[in-house]
Amino acid sequence: MTATPGGGHALLLVNPTSGRGRGLRLCPAAAEALRAAGFRPAVVITESLAEATWKTREAAAGSLVAVLGGDGFLGAAASGARESGAVLLPLAGGRGNDTTRRLGLGSDPVQAVRNIPQLVVRDLDLGVVNGRPYFGVANVGFDGVANELGNSTRLNLGSLTYLYGGLKAFAGWKDVTFTVTVDGKETSFPGWFVAVGNVGQYGGGLRICPEAKVDDGLLDVVMLGRASALRVAATFLRSFRGTHLNTPGVSFTRGSSVTISANKPLNIYADGEMIAPLPATVEIVPAAVKVLVPRNSPVFS
């Protein structure tokens, strides 16, 4: 642990599209909270994930960068902070806000800023998929296809969009075989998904890698093999409580390097952002980024 930034210049990065504008709406209150905490925030409404990386890369070492957006936006900022040595304060400005919640920072960005005096700076591991950093989970399989199908529909389904995508994915999912290699040990299996966790939570509360720690230099790999549609649904439901690892068909391992391929075209996602088609390589960079978190954050060893 290092000293918490104690005031002075700070950067507030905002993704205006995260959470359907949630970050933009909360920006004024977050900036005011930073001023009340003794900081002089420079507010940047970003136009892209690349800009978030660039701005954080330019920040001074040890300076505070508050990141108000979704999980993918936080990963983009982490890429820059890895190089600059800036200290990140993740603020919940997206829909799921899985990383901020799992770190123990909660879903209220203003309260998170007010809590700065009680927070500590910790070094967090960073996952990297085909060279692109992420904090939470890299995933490929049924869940990614469901997301794609839901987002691609022209129907105005509101909150039912992902249910629609999931039902379509169930109907079309068959004969998919994954080949996963963890630190040189290869496994091939017919199945439903592969999740590679660092913080270990995604999808609005799914603790898919419930035992993941962000300071152990390892990735947690959770896979679901051959299973009925009912068991798939049960696995995802149990993952909200993190109790699914003993479900039949679920396997779990750890490693520092993971390669994934499949016998059918699939895309790999990280923190909700589509990264690339398979095959993919996922690696861990130990102690890569400095982040403000509560002393009792549950994802540290």
Side-chain angles (χ1 to χ4, degrees), residues 58 63 66 69 77 85 89-90 93 101 106 111-112 140 145 172 192 197 205 209 213 218 233 274-275 287 291 293:
E58 288 190 328
S63 66
L89 174 60
R101 290 194 292 161
Q111 187 59 51
V140 60
V145 173
W192 289 85
C209 301
K213 301 297 180 184
L218 295 171
M274 202 278 279
I275 303 300
V291 181
V293 294

Side-chain angles (χ1 to χ4, degrees), residues 43-68:
V43 179
V44 177
I45 310 298
T46 60
E47 296 183 1
S48 65
L49 297 181
E51 185 179 6
T53 300
W54 168 50
K55 289 292 186 181
T56 312
R57 185 183 294 129
E58 288 190 328
S63 66
L64 179 67
V65 179
V67 185
L68 182 57

